[in-house]
Amino acid sequence: MWLFHDAKYAFIAMRRKAYVVSAAALALGIGAMMFNIFTIGRWQQYGVDFDGGVLVQVSFSQPLDDSDLRAALGGASAPPITRFGGDNEFVIRAPLEEERDIDEVAGDVEVQLAASFGESSFEVVRQESVGPKIGRELEQRAALAILFSLALTLIYIAIRFEVRFGLAAVIATAHDMLIVLGLLALFRVEIALPTVAAILTILGYSLNDTIVVFDRIRENLNAKGGRREDPYRLVNRSINETLPRTVLTSGTTLAVLFSLLALGGAVIRDFTIVLILGVMIGTYSSIFIASPALLEIQKRFGTGDARKKQQGRRVAAAV
């Protein structure tokens, strides 16, 4: 991109301001999680997939728009609705309230549909109950999936680059995930399985963006005179060299996501919002968190070059 041709922005010099912004965002998110614990008893606003509820599959005699179905079930307060198969079949996930069984909740859904469309216009194909125990298992598995992805990130980058690069990438990825979860808690976005899928997608996107920057840092390090260049200047130069790619990739991705947010409807709204937040935060962290974290790790623990040279001298002496 010509706007960023031969860019020389002082990103590393602004790292302390970025630390303040990240610390404020993390504190706000943690505060929102604590507030949710005291007000709703959970650190996040969980959906039917995690809290349990009733799944009702409905088949209509004629094609139906999902916005009309949502309006019939309460509009903005309607339970999650997913199109299932053709234009006339839907799955409704209604929360299972205390002292009410599956038949009562499913019966309320049928009454609302009959009042809006007529009793003969639809048929209940099936109804199932999702208990809170299954929800807790899903919550644990989702947490394990995220932790497992972080561990694989560390191993992969440590093998492809060096351990210090892997640690910096994990710090940046954990930073992105915590801020996104904090914002979800702040705005009480309902956490469902699609939301978890969006969070895992964010981790992959953030990691990819970070690897691009790290790859350029490694190239510049291995270039002639790279090891003698000031590390802060080299890292800052590497970020500027990858800036056109970063802005172009993030910009086109956000353009698609905002189009989905505007035209995709309420079904994928939360999923799209999480992805938008993740792309923006992931782009920010690859510049202001991952690269400065790499420098901080190098400053405290070194690059490992001295240890390699010492081992080489020992091998030479033994020979």
Side-chain angles (χ1 to χ4, degrees):
M1 295 179 63
W2 64 270
L3 286 174
F4 302 100
H5 178 68
D6 198 23
K8 295 180 180 178
Y9 300 107
F11 292 113
I12 298 300
M14 295 185 286
R15 66 188 185 281
R16 290 184 176 85
K17 294 180 181 178
Y19 294 160
V20 173
V21 172
S22 295
L26 288 170
L28 182 64
I30 293 172
M33 294 176 193
M34 297 297 295
F35 181 76
N36 286 348
I37 290 174
F38 287 112
T39 54
I40 63 177
R42 307 290 292 272
W43 67 294
Q44 293 283 0
Q45 180 72 45
Y46 287 113
V48 174
D49 293 326
F50 292 99
D51 271 346
V54 178
L55 184 150
V56 182
Q57 183 178 340
V58 183
S59 177
F60 287 85
S61 56
Q62 298 293 331
L64 183 70
D65 191 82
D66 55 355
S67 60
D68 295 333
L69 180 58
R70 186 167 288 102
L73 295 175
S77 60
I81 299 170
T82 307
R83 191 178 294 276
F84 189 86
D87 294 336
N88 63 332
E89 202 158 342
F90 300 87
V91 170
I92 302 165
R93 291 176 172 86
L96 187 59
E97 301 172 1
E98 294 183 4
E99 299 181 356
R100 303 191 70 194
D101 57 26
I102 178 175
D103 293 327
E104 289 180 295
V105 175
D108 287 346
V109 171
E110 291 185 52
V111 168
Q112 289 176 295
L113 295 179
S116 298
F117 306 108
E119 293 184 3
S120 60
S121 63
F122 67 93
E123 176 188 2
V124 176
V125 179
R126 65 183 172 110
Q127 59 184 44
E128 299 175 0
S129 175
V130 180
K133 182 178 179 180
I134 296 176
R136 285 192 295 269
E137 291 179 0
L138 288 173
E139 182 180 357
Q140 293 172 359
R141 292 181 181 182
L144 286 174
I146 293 173
L147 292 174
F148 188 63
S149 66
L150 290 176
L152 286 179
T153 297
L154 176 60
I155 295 171
Y156 167 73
I157 299 183
I159 294 173
R160 179 173 174 179
F161 298 94
E162 298 173 18
V163 174
R164 59 190 170 117
F165 285 87
L167 289 174
V170 167
I171 290 171
T173 306
H175 162 276
D176 299 346
M177 182 185 65
L178 288 174
I179 290 184
V180 170
L181 289 175
L183 291 175
L184 294 181
L186 179 65
F187 296 106
R188 291 193 176 177
V189 176
E190 190 176 81
I191 303 295
L193 289 180
T195 315
V196 176
I199 293 173
L200 291 173
T201 304
I202 289 168
L203 298 184
Y205 183 92
S206 175
L207 174 62
N208 178 70
D209 209 19
T210 301
I211 286 177
V212 170
V213 178
F214 282 0
D215 199 43
R216 182 55 58 90
I217 292 173
R218 183 179 62 172
E219 288 178 0
N220 289 333
L221 275 172
N222 294 331
K224 185 177 180 180
R227 298 285 174 178
R228 295 191 299 272
E229 186 176 354
D230 177 70
Y232 290 85
R233 184 178 301 172
L234 184 143
V235 170
N236 196 78
R237 177 163 62 87
S238 301
I239 295 172
N240 278 287
E241 288 173 354
T242 56
L243 192 60
R245 182 266 178 200
T246 300
V247 173
L248 184 62
T249 303
S250 301
T252 52
T253 305
L254 287 173
V256 173
L257 290 175
F258 277 114
S259 299
L260 281 176
L261 184 63
L263 305 173
V267 176
I268 59 172
R269 181 189 58 201
D270 291 347
F271 177 82
T272 308
I273 289 174
V274 175
L275 286 180
I276 289 173
L277 291 174
V279 170
M280 295 173 66
I281 296 169
T283 303
Y284 159 83
S285 72
S286 66
I287 297 173
F288 292 105
I289 302 299
S291 300
L294 176 64
L295 289 170
E296 293 296 333
I297 293 170
Q298 177 176 322
K299 181 180 177 180
R300 285 168 170 74
F301 304 104
T303 62
D305 292 340
R307 189 180 300 112
K308 291 177 182 178
K309 291 179 181 178
Q310 186 177 7
Q311 290 174 351
R313 285 194 295 268
R314 288 177 181 174
V315 172
V319 173

